[in-house]
């Protein structure tokens, strides 16, 4: 698969327990047949994903803004700049409409830029319903409650959703 595939992003929006994560689980393997896939999950409460006392946790609490852990099977990074305090964009260019005024959108835009730079073809975003991204509505979410254009519904045929996502305009022009 070529690393030069367009960078396409879709948001899944719906109420809690509406089936968003289940839809992510169904979409990811199908999209992976066509390019590298990453996912982004909006979490509305703080969780500790790095075990207190572990070396990576100690690096982070010592003041590192980003800590990268490399294990025999996984590589992970923990960055201290979440939704409450996302980094400022040095060049001032917004990736997402409205991001300069909304810290949550700035955090999402920063994440999407990193994933684009890493060569992903697709990103499936779960949550972030206010983001101005093409959106698949899951459950009873009203179309007026999302920030992007509605491109599908969670109840749509899986292959139809995959083809819709593959046909989205790229978020970032790599040309």
């Amino acid at each position: 698969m070529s690393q030069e595939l367009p960078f396409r992003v879709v948001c899944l929006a719906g109420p809690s327990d509406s089936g968003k994560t289940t839809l992510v689980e169904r979409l990811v393997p199908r999209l992976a047949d066509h390019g590298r896939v990453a996912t982004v999950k909006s979490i509305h409460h703080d969780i500790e994903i790095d075990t207190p006392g572990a070396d990576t946790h100690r690096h982070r609490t010592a003041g590192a803004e980003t800590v990268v852990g490399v294990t025999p099977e996984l590589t992970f990074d923990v960055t201290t700049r979440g939704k409450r305090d996302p980094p400022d964009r040095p060049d001032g260019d917004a990736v997402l409409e409205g991001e300069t005024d909304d810290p949550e959108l700035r955090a999402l835009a920063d994440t999407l830029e990193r994933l684009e730079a890493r060569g992903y073809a697709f990103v499936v975003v779960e949550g972030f319903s206010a983001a101005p991204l093409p959106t698949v509505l899951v459950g009873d979410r009203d179309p007026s409650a999302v920030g992007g254009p509605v491109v599908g519904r969670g109840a749509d045929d899986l292959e139809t959703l995959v083809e819709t996502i593959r046909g989205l305009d790229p978020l970032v022009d790599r040309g």
Side-chain angles (χ1 to χ4, degrees), residues 6-25:
F7 182 63
R8 295 190 170 99
V9 180
V10 67
C11 182
L12 306 184
S16 293
D17 297 322
S18 61
K20 295 181 303 290
T21 301
T22 299
L23 184 55
V24 169
E25 291 174 319

Side-chain angles (χ1 to χ4, degrees), residues 112-146:
L112 293 175
E113 276 192 345
R114 288 193 327 265
L115 294 172
E116 190 276 334
R118 293 176 184 172
Y120 287 93
F122 304 100
V123 177
V124 179
V125 176
E126 182 180 339
F128 291 99
S129 60
L133 295 169
T135 301
V136 173
L137 294 180
V138 182
D140 295 330
R141 180 61 46 108
D142 186 303
S144 66
V146 299

Side-chain angles (χ1 to χ4, degrees), residues 38-58:
T39 64
V40 177
K41 169 71 173 114
S42 177
I43 301 172
H44 299 288
H45 53 84
D46 283 330
I47 62 172
E48 183 56 61
I49 57 171
D50 193 15
T51 307
D55 290 350
T56 52
H57 184 268
R58 292 171 62 191

Side-chain angles (χ1 to χ4, degrees), residues 19-86:
K20 295 181 303 290
T21 301
T22 299
L23 184 55
V24 169
E25 291 174 319
R26 294 177 63 219
L27 282 172
V28 167
R30 291 296 298 118
L31 290 170
D33 289 341
H34 305 285
R36 294 177 65 212
V37 181
T39 64
V40 177
K41 169 71 173 114
S42 177
I43 301 172
H44 299 288
H45 53 84
D46 283 330
I47 62 172
E48 183 56 61
I49 57 171
D50 193 15
T51 307
D55 290 350
T56 52
H57 184 268
R58 292 171 62 191
H59 293 193
R60 182 167 52 92
T61 58
E65 186 173 314
T66 299
V67 176
V68 177
V70 181
T71 76
E73 298 293 325
L74 300 171
T75 298
F76 64 92
D77 64 72
V78 178
T79 301
T80 60
R81 309 292 296 261
K83 293 184 204 178
R84 287 191 195 110
D85 185 28

